Amino acid sequence: MEEKFDLTGKVAVVTGAGGVLCSEMARALAAAGAKVAVLDLMEDAAKRVADEINEGGIQNAEDRRQKAEEERRDTPDRRQALEDWREGAEDRRESIDDRRRIAEDRRQTTEDKALAVKCSVLDKKQLEEARETIIGRLGRVDILINGAGGNKKEATTSDSLTFFDLPMDAIRGVLDLNIIGTILPSQVFGKAMAEQKQGVILNISSMNAFRPLTKICGYSAAKAAVSNFTQWLAVHICQNYSKDIRVNAIAPGFFLTEQNRFLLTDEKTGQLTPRGKTIIEHTPMGRFGQPNDLTGTMLWLVSDAAKFVTGIVVPVDGGFSAFSGV
């Protein structure tokens, strides 16, 4: 049974992989044997995740992050001293950085399990350049996880911002990031899969796609579009390119991320907002999801264990979508 979930020899591309949820997916893919291209608009975030994987710290990454956070809180003076030293050593560091870049390039072409790539999912040229870099370094693309997405506070109704006053730029930004940011990578990396006649695309939908949630009209519409696109692309790929290219989606329930924290917890106290309390009350399992709650379903859908599964959207929500409220 284990060999069905084994991803050894596979190459996975994860967009938005510097974030909380998708970084966990990237580490799980590596732990299952895949090489992982860590794509993110924030280069430092992508490098951090790739470094964790390449350092062999997949299982202990969370412990290292917690320890680093404690050290940052407990030693502000030492941190300031280190920053001062860094600012005064810029000239000396330039030559060191040049040597490190050469060594890093050589190391990534030979042995690394993860490759960090800065890339916008809304820029097709950047995506195409990323694809060529990944294929050049890692050899191919077998798996695409369209993880980039999220909501914006400016596109969310509140006591001080009514639906009638929501700025269209903010709504358009949410729509673009979530649905266009899924379609474009699917075009670019899906083309490579079509040429090799096999591959897996996994999109990230949401509970909003099943039932629109209050306050977040743009995000709800965008994620409904992601679910619809998932089904459309699954059929289109099979009918026109290969029966061995599958397209599915995961619909996470409620996980605390930087995009939704302002809605679910109070910024000053950290306590649950009324909205956060309502969500917990309507989640039969009685808690928010943890990032690693997504990895089991993700590994199933991208592996041969799901080789006859395409065109579905799987809730991973602690029972939220099954609960009628009474």
Side-chain angles (χ1 to χ4, degrees), residues 115-178:
L115 171 67
V117 181
K118 179 181 179 180
C119 184
S120 168
V121 294
L122 299 179
D123 188 317
K124 192 170 186 178
K125 183 179 179 180
Q126 286 189 26
L127 287 163
E128 290 172 339
E129 291 173 350
R131 180 188 62 199
E132 298 312 305
T133 297
I134 293 162
I135 292 175
R137 294 279 188 89
L138 303 180
R140 55 189 289 121
V141 174
D142 299 289
I143 298 165
L144 169 65
I145 296 182
N146 282 312
N151 189 38
K152 292 183 177 181
K153 189 173 184 178
E154 298 80 8
T156 304
T157 63
S158 65
D159 292 340
S160 59
L161 183 61
T162 71
F163 164 73
F164 306 106
D165 297 317
L166 287 175
M168 195 50 56
D169 286 348
I171 295 177
R172 186 177 293 111
V174 172
L175 291 169
D176 283 353
L177 177 59
N178 289 280

Side-chain angles (χ1 to χ4, degrees), residues 140-296:
R140 55 189 289 121
V141 174
D142 299 289
I143 298 165
L144 169 65
I145 296 182
N146 282 312
N151 189 38
K152 292 183 177 181
K153 189 173 184 178
E154 298 80 8
T156 304
T157 63
S158 65
D159 292 340
S160 59
L161 183 61
T162 71
F163 164 73
F164 306 106
D165 297 317
L166 287 175
M168 195 50 56
D169 286 348
I171 295 177
R172 186 177 293 111
V174 172
L175 291 169
D176 283 353
L177 177 59
N178 289 280
I179 182 58
I180 303 303
T182 296
I183 293 174
L184 280 177
S186 297
Q187 287 183 320
V188 171
F189 293 103
K191 186 175 182 179
M193 295 178 188
E195 291 172 354
Q196 66 196 24
K197 302 296 183 182
Q198 61 181 10
V200 179
I201 296 174
L202 183 64
N203 297 326
I204 307 301
S205 184
S206 169
M207 283 298 96
N208 292 283
F210 294 92
R211 287 184 295 177
L213 304 179
T214 60
K215 299 182 181 292
I216 48 178
C217 70
Y219 188 68
S220 293
K223 287 303 187 180
V226 169
S227 289
N228 186 280
F229 172 67
T230 297
Q231 295 176 312
W232 180 88
L233 186 60
V235 174
H236 180 75
I237 288 280
C238 276
Q239 289 183 337
N240 292 276
Y241 297 99
S242 172
K243 310 299 184 188
D244 294 322
I245 300 175
R246 300 183 293 105
V247 185
N248 294 295
I250 291 175
F254 294 90
F255 294 71
L256 281 177
T257 66
E258 293 307 312
Q259 288 90 348
N260 67 14
R261 191 176 298 274
F262 73 95
L263 278 172
L264 305 181
T265 62
D266 185 273
E267 292 180 325
K268 295 180 179 179
T269 67
Q271 299 298 310
L272 291 177
T273 61
R275 185 183 183 88
K277 292 178 180 177
T278 299
I279 288 169
I280 296 299
E281 291 169 356
H282 286 73
T283 300
M285 295 185 103
R287 64 175 177 87
F288 293 123
Q290 299 295 320
N292 62 7
D293 289 329
L294 294 174
T295 57

Side-chain angles (χ1 to χ4, degrees), residues 3-214:
E3 64 270 15
K4 288 190 175 183
F5 295 89
D6 185 12
L7 300 179
T8 300
K10 303 291 187 181
V11 175
V13 176
V14 185
T15 71
V20 174
L21 301 184
C22 290
S23 64
E24 190 72 16
M25 293 185 192
R27 287 187 285 269
L29 289 163
K35 292 184 178 181
V36 185
V38 180
L39 271 61
D40 202 278
L41 185 61
M42 307 302 293
E43 187 174 17
D44 288 345
K47 286 183 176 180
R48 173 182 55 78
V49 176
D51 286 346
E52 287 177 357
I53 294 171
N54 289 329
E55 289 167 4
I58 299 168
Q59 299 298 326
N60 298 318
E62 185 63 31
D63 291 340
R64 287 203 306 276
R65 284 196 296 273
Q66 290 178 355
K67 182 178 180 181
E69 180 62 28
E70 290 172 1
E71 289 177 351
R72 283 194 294 271
R73 287 198 300 265
D74 294 340
T75 59
D77 293 336
R78 185 172 66 184
R79 186 172 70 250
Q80 183 61 53
L82 178 61
E83 188 63 28
D84 292 341
W85 180 87
R86 285 174 175 168
E87 291 177 357
E90 193 65 35
D91 293 338
R92 182 174 63 223
R93 191 172 59 188
E94 286 179 357
S95 61
I96 295 173
D97 286 346
D98 288 339
R99 291 197 298 272
R100 283 177 175 170
R101 277 192 291 269
I102 293 171
E104 180 70 12
D105 288 344
R106 184 180 300 114
R107 186 168 64 89
Q108 287 184 335
T109 59
T110 57
E111 63 185 49
D112 281 357
K113 292 197 67 174
L115 171 67
V117 181
K118 179 181 179 180
C119 184
S120 168
V121 294
L122 299 179
D123 188 317
K124 192 170 186 178
K125 183 179 179 180
Q126 286 189 26
L127 287 163
E128 290 172 339
E129 291 173 350
R131 180 188 62 199
E132 298 312 305
T133 297
I134 293 162
I135 292 175
R137 294 279 188 89
L138 303 180
R140 55 189 289 121
V141 174
D142 299 289
I143 298 165
L144 169 65
I145 296 182
N146 282 312
N151 189 38
K152 292 183 177 181
K153 189 173 184 178
E154 298 80 8
T156 304
T157 63
S158 65
D159 292 340
S160 59
L161 183 61
T162 71
F163 164 73
F164 306 106
D165 297 317
L166 287 175
M168 195 50 56
D169 286 348
I171 295 177
R172 186 177 293 111
V174 172
L175 291 169
D176 283 353
L177 177 59
N178 289 280
I179 182 58
I180 303 303
T182 296
I183 293 174
L184 280 177
S186 297
Q187 287 183 320
V188 171
F189 293 103
K191 186 175 182 179
M193 295 178 188
E195 291 172 354
Q196 66 196 24
K197 302 296 183 182
Q198 61 181 10
V200 179
I201 296 174
L202 183 64
N203 297 326
I204 307 301
S205 184
S206 169
M207 283 298 96
N208 292 283
F210 294 92
R211 287 184 295 177
L213 304 179
T214 60

